[in-house]
Amino acid sequence: MAHSFIAYIDEAGDDGLNPDRYRVPGRGGGSSHWLTIGATVWRQSRDLDAVRWAKEIREQLPQQKKHKPLHYKDFDHAQRVMAITGLCDRPMRATAVIANKPIIPAGMYEQKNQLYHYMCRYLLERLSWLCRDMRPMVPEGDGRVKIVFSRRRAMNYDDFQHYIQRLKDAADPEIRIHWPVIDISAIEAEDHGSRFGLQIADLVMSGLTAALEPDFYGNVEPRFARMLKPIVYSRGGNYLSYGAKIVPNADTIPLTEQQREFLAIFG
């Protein structure tokens, strides 16, 4: 039987943890202060609808961008507003795990992809809860979610599947993934440009992260997070534990007044 849901997973930021290489306002280059890994989710039966959503955004772009994959980083501010506006009322949900990297103790994640794997565990928890919660409203399919990652060059997805299987086999009560909805064998990775769902995930995750990651001038943009709130997963009005999870706890992170607006939006 077909999957009930499909989830496209992308990231915003990078997983570099060298404290000497974080971006400094007014300078080019450097590593991001935040890493977001998140999923946009909709019914499997709506996957062709998502192609239309993305194409409608692309048709509004200047001619030189109309035939290129949608990438938040390639858009100017007005184009970002247009794209987010075109997504924030669609029948989808988003869930994201957002890590503040400078507060992570040195040496905590030394192995390749270790931070990424750790965050994916948190993401899969929330993705599984979302699909479990939505199942009564989505009777078609077998209740499981098809998971598609935006391919990372340094990532071995066979190894990632084995990592998820080890989490399942561990039967650790601290791992709160609702396993009946997760189809480990169907996890795959595709190039960003090959799937419109991945391009939508890029726009949503980058839009959320813009409220926390300082730009060249040291400013953040909470507008997109506010616009995207209607599609962000929550339970009983709780967003910060479900669809907009900050790690470690936001109370331990030294946020600027601008960044604290993210908590005001989702708190």
Side-chain angles (χ1 to χ4, degrees), residues 44-118:
Q44 174 77 63
S45 60
R46 286 198 171 118
D47 208 28
L48 287 179
D49 293 338
V51 173
R52 175 173 53 81
W53 306 337
K55 287 184 175 180
E56 288 175 358
I57 292 171
R58 193 167 65 178
E59 284 304 307
Q60 298 179 71
L61 293 169
Q63 193 62 40
Q64 66 270 25
K65 294 183 179 181
K66 280 188 176 181
H67 302 292
K68 296 180 179 180
L70 304 176
H71 250 310
Y72 180 93
K73 66 180 179 59
D74 295 334
F75 291 179
D76 63 25
H77 183 77
Q79 291 160 1
R80 291 169 179 174
V81 173
M82 176 274 295
I84 299 298
T85 300
L87 295 175
C88 62
D89 62 351
R90 300 298 189 178
M92 70 169 85
R93 286 292 179 269
T95 180
V97 179
I98 310 168
N100 179 251
K101 297 190 304 179
I103 205 170
I104 296 173
M108 188 170 182
Y109 300 107
E110 293 187 323
Q111 298 177 19
K112 183 179 178 180
N113 292 319
Q114 189 176 7
L115 173 60
Y116 188 89
H117 283 187
Y118 179 75

Side-chain angles (χ1 to χ4, degrees), residues 23-24 53 63 72-73 82 137 142 151 190 218 225 237 255 264 267:
R23 292 174 190 155
V24 176
W53 306 337
Q63 193 62 40
Y72 180 93
K73 66 180 179 59
M82 176 274 295
M137 293 167 278
D142 61 8
R151 192 188 308 279
E190 300 282 353
L255 299 174

Side-chain angles (χ1 to χ4, degrees), residues 94-98 126 208 232-234 238-245:
T95 180
V97 179
I98 310 168
R126 282 143 186 85
L208 290 174
V232 174
Y233 173 43
S234 69
N238 183 343
Y239 291 86
L240 294 175
S241 296
Y242 294 92
K245 171 70 174 176

